[in-house]
Amino acid sequence: MFGITELDELIIQKLERTDVARGARVCRKWHQIISPYLWHDLSCLRRLSDAQKQAFARLVEEDYLCQQRHQALQEQHHPTEHYPQTSTLPTLSPLAKYGPWIQVLPPPGPLLLLFQPTPDPSQLQQAIDLMLHLYKRCINIQIGRLELETRNLQSDEFMKAITECLLPHAHELFLCGSSFLESWRFKYILDRCSDTLEKLIINIAIKYDEEERGKEHSLEGSKPFVGLKRLNLVFANDKSGSKALWPWLWRRCTEVEEITIIGVNDIVQSLVEGMHTYMPKLNRIHIRAGLLNDTMTAALLSTCQRGWKEIDLDMTGTKKEALVKHCPTLEKLTMDASVRFSSGDIVQVLSSSPNLHTLCYTEGIYWGTKIPCIDASSFVDRDSSTDTLKPWKCEASLRILKILILGIPRSDLQGRHVPETHLGQGRAIQGQVYDRLARLTNMETLWLGPQSKKVTQFDCVEMSLESGLWKLAGLTALQELSVQGMAARIGVKEVEWMAGNWPRLRAIYGLKQEGGDGAAVEWLLRHCPEIKLELRFPLSQVRWPAKTGPSGKGEE
């Protein structure tokens, strides 16, 4: 190795673990340099064979017993004075030598099973002692996400070990499990989180002791989570009448900026009051619960004191009034069709949101049921008195638009189209749609159509130059275009025009490999290899063009 710590680390980080292990066996010098890096990430312990797991458990146990003997000698020979550390333990114990290098370990539950492979209650305390000893050796451990299951938290010793050794290092805490968690344990754990905690995920059911039932939880001794920015309520089951625990939690979430709500039917009223009263910095909300009714959703949307910047609605109904009032501050809106927004409602959001940069849908399984649709005539949004397009406040800010525009007559399709009421109506509407899109001059991502490889939308824009695609020449910032699932008519001249007028274009999704699309795909592969293609069929089935030699003839 180079003997330069920074350079050695850069090289070793690029290698597979097996290669690092081989390198450590090259020579004594390499072994001395490389071996510590083998201890950086021990998450692989979960994937080892039973024999290897037992070997690691014995290594920890030997180090633990050695330390116990060392402490016994201190107490025997020097009961009142500090007994100086000898060099025996660090020299003979790999864990003592390399423990400070360990940064990643398996989650506490699987790690406990490493020391207690059989469900024998008599071995539980010994397993916890060994796990606690291992944690104490890992003084530089990094806990990105700490997952605690309620079944393990029923043990007081386990809970104490976790709160002492891991919680102070955790950036993300995930409380989960199918069994109930007593409210005092819930408080005990959260009270011992440090300021490093940035995200809290709750997916548990709370159980109250008889002494705590109906009792108000005191704030005394409880300080706010100053680092907590994201709160996820995946499932919060509380059948008690008082719901007394939750106000205690909300008062500590004064710095939370983003909240995700999935299953909170039991505590909706408490949550609404807590968000309004104790979370002044909230600006992003994600609601993903089909069990919430319109009234609950509207109440949650109405709590933000400063106005939502980001709203994500998935699998839930809502009242448009509760959402559109946030248009002055709204920057990102993500939704699916079950939100039950009409075309006019979507246009109202687009026309009233001066800071909106993203309007999109959550990717679903079938168009028309998981994608918000907007009628073409509504999307055009013309002023009937002046016969001009109405200005939208988001025209300069919108960068990502993913939506299904429908209701366009297509006379070029046989039998599968919306009929025209007069000749040329389809092309006229398409031209108006292009006119509207052309005003979104800072657009970077444009997804039209159902985004499905299994279904096809026929009442869509053609995306051909003859239909008015040339009107989008001003979208010079466009980087990503998707026509997935659309009955588009994109040929060589269209993709050549796109490459010439959209200099930042890096991806086109949804081209077909048959018909005119096939020729367009070949042209792109030959002339614009930097543009990523995702076809409606595997790319391996595309006929690749032959390379052209100096003579102009194809080369093998």
Side-chain angles (χ1 to χ4, degrees):
M1 299 299 288
F2 295 96
I4 303 174
T5 304
E6 293 80 3
L7 185 56
D8 291 341
E9 186 170 355
L10 285 174
I11 294 173
I12 293 173
Q13 285 177 348
K14 301 293 184 181
L15 301 176
E16 296 291 337
R17 186 176 180 85
T18 52
D19 296 329
V20 178
R22 292 191 187 99
R25 297 196 295 267
V26 169
C27 63
R28 182 173 297 180
K29 180 179 179 181
W30 278 38
H31 177 80
Q32 183 180 4
I33 295 174
I34 295 177
S35 291
Y37 294 99
L38 287 169
W39 292 77
H40 265 183
D41 185 352
L42 295 186
S43 59
C44 61
L45 289 174
R46 303 177 67 177
R47 302 186 296 271
L48 298 180
S49 65
D50 291 341
Q52 291 172 320
K53 291 178 181 179
Q54 292 172 10
F56 182 81
R58 285 196 300 269
L59 183 147
V60 176
E61 184 178 7
E62 291 171 0
D63 183 72
Y64 173 75
L65 294 175
C66 186
Q67 187 184 67
Q68 294 291 99
R69 291 193 296 268
H70 183 74
Q71 292 176 351
L73 285 174
Q74 283 184 311
E75 296 174 359
Q76 179 181 356
H77 297 288
H78 299 275
T80 58
E81 300 179 6
H82 176 69
Y83 186 74
Q85 293 279 350
T86 66
S87 60
T88 304
L89 185 62
T91 302
L92 299 180
S93 170
L95 186 59
K97 182 178 181 180
Y98 295 112
W101 287 84
I102 298 175
Q103 297 180 357
V104 182
L105 283 171
L111 190 59
L112 185 63
L113 291 176
L114 191 72
F115 302 110
Q116 188 193 17
T118 59
D120 184 355
S122 62
Q123 297 180 359
L124 177 60
Q125 186 57 55
Q126 181 183 359
I128 292 176
D129 290 342
L130 292 176
M131 185 176 68
L132 184 59
H133 177 74
L134 174 60
Y135 285 143
K136 289 181 177 179
R137 285 296 192 197
C138 306
I139 58 176
N140 294 311
I141 192 170
Q142 298 177 0
I143 310 294
R145 176 187 174 102
L146 177 59
E147 182 176 325
L148 300 179
E149 297 185 28
T150 52
R151 60 184 175 89
N152 293 324
L153 294 173
Q154 304 305 318
S155 166
D156 295 350
E157 294 79 8
F158 180 87
M159 184 172 65
K160 182 179 179 181
I162 295 301
T163 53
E164 286 182 1
C165 299
L166 296 187
L167 272 180
H169 304 278
H171 294 272
E172 178 180 328
L173 176 60
F174 183 20
L175 297 174
C176 61
S178 56
S179 57
F180 282 91
L181 183 68
E182 293 93 336
S183 59
W184 74 267
R185 293 184 186 274
F186 183 76
K187 286 189 61 180
Y188 182 90
I189 293 169
L190 294 186
D191 270 336
R192 283 153 181 79
C193 292
S194 70
D195 293 345
T196 61
L197 185 65
E198 300 172 358
K199 182 177 180 180
L200 174 61
I201 308 173
I202 298 175
N203 185 16
I204 57 174
I206 294 294
K207 180 175 68 174
Y208 293 86
D209 293 337
E210 289 301 324
E211 295 181 0
E212 292 188 333
R213 194 175 299 277
K215 184 191 300 183
E216 291 295 330
H217 289 259
S218 173
L219 268 179
E220 197 171 329
S222 298
K223 61 179 183 178
F225 300 119
V226 296
L228 187 64
K229 304 298 182 183
R230 301 168 64 188
L231 176 63
N232 286 26
L233 301 172
V234 179
F235 178 74
N237 188 333
D238 187 340
K239 298 298 183 182
S240 70
S242 66
K243 310 291 190 294
L245 175 65
W246 302 102
W248 170 87
L249 175 60
W250 310 144
R251 291 189 183 102
R252 305 188 64 183
C253 298
T254 56
E255 302 298 317
V256 170
E257 299 175 358
E258 177 179 337
I259 187 167
T260 299
I261 301 167
I262 299 179
V264 297
N265 296 52
D266 292 343
I267 60 168
V268 167
Q269 185 58 41
S270 174
L271 177 59
V272 168
E273 295 173 359
M275 290 168 61
H276 180 75
T277 307
Y278 304 114
M279 306 181 197
K281 297 185 179 181
L282 270 179
N283 56 58
R284 302 187 299 277
I285 185 170
H286 308 268
I287 301 179
R288 300 180 178 278
L291 299 177
L292 293 177
N293 57 39
D294 287 3
T295 302
M296 293 177 179
T297 306
L300 290 167
L301 289 176
S302 301
T303 55
C304 189
Q305 300 180 22
R306 300 187 300 177
W308 297 110
K309 290 185 178 180
E310 182 176 328
I311 298 177
D312 181 4
L313 301 173
D314 182 21
M315 293 300 292
T316 180
T318 189
K319 296 179 180 179
K320 68 172 184 178
E321 295 81 5
L323 188 148
V324 297
K325 76 175 188 178
H326 297 285
C327 286
T329 58
L330 192 62
E331 296 179 1
K332 181 178 180 180
L333 175 60
T334 306
M335 56 185 174
D336 69 15
S338 61
V339 176
R340 299 195 297 273
F341 264 25
S342 67
S343 297
D345 297 334
I346 298 176
V347 168
Q348 184 176 357
V349 172
L350 289 166
S351 62
S352 308
S353 305
N355 302 307
L356 188 69
H357 61 72
T358 301
L359 176 66
C360 61
Y361 51 82
T362 52
E363 295 182 51
I365 57 175
Y366 193 80
W367 74 282
T369 60
K370 287 282 288 178
I371 299 176
C373 306
I374 182 169
D375 185 75
S377 59
S378 299
F379 181 76
V380 171
D381 195 23
R382 298 184 72 85
D383 187 335
S384 56
S385 60
T386 61
D387 197 31
T388 58
L389 299 182
K390 295 179 182 178
W392 286 356
K393 291 186 177 181
C394 70
E395 289 178 351
S397 62
L398 195 65
R399 285 170 170 75
I400 300 175
L401 179 63
K402 299 180 180 181
I403 205 162
L404 178 68
I405 301 176
L406 46 74
I408 300 176
R410 290 284 299 274
S411 59
D412 57 305
L413 301 177
Q414 297 294 327
R416 293 183 177 181
H417 64 276
V418 177
E420 290 186 331
T421 59
H422 58 272
L423 186 63
Q425 181 193 23
R427 283 289 175 85
I429 294 177
Q430 290 186 66
Q432 295 170 1
V433 171
Y434 292 128
D435 287 336
R436 171 58 71 187
L437 291 172
R439 296 173 70 104
L440 308 175
T441 53
N442 291 313
M443 184 79 67
E444 296 176 359
T445 299
L446 178 60
W447 284 24
L448 302 171
Q451 307 308 313
S452 172
K453 296 182 180 181
K454 297 182 179 180
V455 298
T456 302
Q457 179 197 1
F458 297 97
D459 55 344
C460 58
V461 289
E462 300 176 23
M463 297 300 291
S464 65
L465 292 173
E466 290 83 356
S467 67
L469 178 65
W470 55 270
K471 295 184 177 184
L472 304 185
L475 304 186
T476 55
L478 193 66
Q479 301 177 22
E480 185 178 308
L481 173 69
S482 178
V483 294
Q484 190 72 261
M486 295 172 58
R489 298 179 60 192
I490 298 178
V492 173
K493 60 181 180 180
E494 278 75 25
V495 293
E496 187 174 356
W497 179 91
M498 292 176 187
N501 289 273
W502 298 337
R504 300 184 183 180
L505 188 63
R506 291 296 176 264
I508 302 178
Y509 306 128
L511 292 179
K512 301 184 295 294
Q513 61 186 49
E514 71 273 6
D517 282 15
V521 168
E522 291 193 0
W523 189 92
L524 287 169
L525 292 172
R526 181 187 297 274
H527 298 282
C528 302
E530 72 280 2
I531 295 180
K532 175 185 175 182
L533 298 178
E534 182 177 308
L535 308 180
R536 296 194 67 177
F537 297 96
L539 188 61
S540 59
Q541 297 181 12
V542 177
R543 180 171 60 86
W544 291 79
K547 296 180 180 179
T548 304
S551 63
K553 297 181 180 180
E555 296 181 343
E556 294 297 331

